[in-house]
Amino acid sequence: MVTGAKPVPLRAAYDAEHGGRWTSLHGGGREWLWRGPEPGRHEVRPDDAFIDAGGLEECLPTVRGRPDHGEVWSRPWRTVGPGTVVVHRPTFVLTRRISDSDGVVVADYRLAADPGHRFVWAAHALLDLSPSARLEAPTGVQTRLHPEAAALLPPGSWPTGAPWLTGPWPAPAGLTLDTLGPDDGTALGAVLLDCPRVQVIDGVDRLTLELECADQPRSTALWRNLGGWPTDRPYRSVGVEPMLGAAFDLADAGPADAAVVPPTGEVAWRLTISAHRIH
């Protein structure tokens, strides 16, 4: 931790009825979660097209692909205890409990499914950040660029038919990714492999996201939309997304790229989010 940085207590709020979506992550007079321009989030029905309303959406069993952003964001979750909600699907049951201890937000998850069930999960957190913000991750972490990045590379750089191109953080294939603004008209997705802890630095504020899970691939996904998407009416949105798995789309995930339910029939994981401020 940087010398002089003091903890800032955080509180989270969520909307169980609308996909368990996190609607607030607030502390020290700052709201960290961005709110999007798309209307109609409360009218969403199961398997509707994704609506980019901001906040933090729970993406399971895929992020991209079908259904877009997964099955659970568009369905009501049922409250079963203090801070605890559950969503049932034909092939799995997901339970989440959000608590805070001394101002640190902790989300505990448990997925029950048949042994061998494969999935990708991401905490699709869209953050309200200034143009000077940056993402801090270990230098050299292998990072997968996804196909929309091909347009930003020299012609012929993208391997034909490849679902991603891999290089070291912070500049895979020469694209500098750790800066999160100013807007430049680009939009791209990337996955930082075997990277369960990152820190977002924005002026005097620091937000740390850390994912714990035994025996499963842990990554951090990045969606850096600096006014490059959608093409007809682009806006700015930056997603920093703790992830189980190593691919946005479960359909692209090789044997080591997805989480797999063990013989016990359960996978448990924990997301911890903390904030600090330099005084």
Side-chain angles (χ1 to χ4, degrees), residues 58-147:
E58 301 283 356
C59 297
L60 180 81
T62 191
V63 183
R64 298 184 182 181
R66 295 184 180 179
D68 188 17
H69 288 71
E71 298 180 15
V72 301
W73 73 272
S74 61
R75 287 174 163 80
W77 295 37
R78 181 168 55 90
T79 299
V80 294
T84 305
V85 290
V86 63
V87 59
H88 291 257
R89 299 299 301 130
T91 57
F92 63 82
V93 177
L94 177 66
T95 304
R96 183 193 72 198
R97 179 178 183 268
I98 295 178
S99 60
D100 66 87
S101 176
D102 297 325
V104 175
V105 172
V106 177
D108 286 304
Y109 297 81
R110 186 172 301 274
L111 183 136
D114 290 340
H117 179 81
R118 302 175 77 243
F119 67 94
V120 170
W121 165 85
H124 181 67
L126 294 172
L127 302 180
D128 189 2
L129 302 173
S130 76
S132 64
R134 59 189 178 91
L135 180 63
E136 187 174 89
T139 300
V141 163
Q142 289 300 294
T143 304
R144 288 176 172 172
L145 293 169
H146 282 253

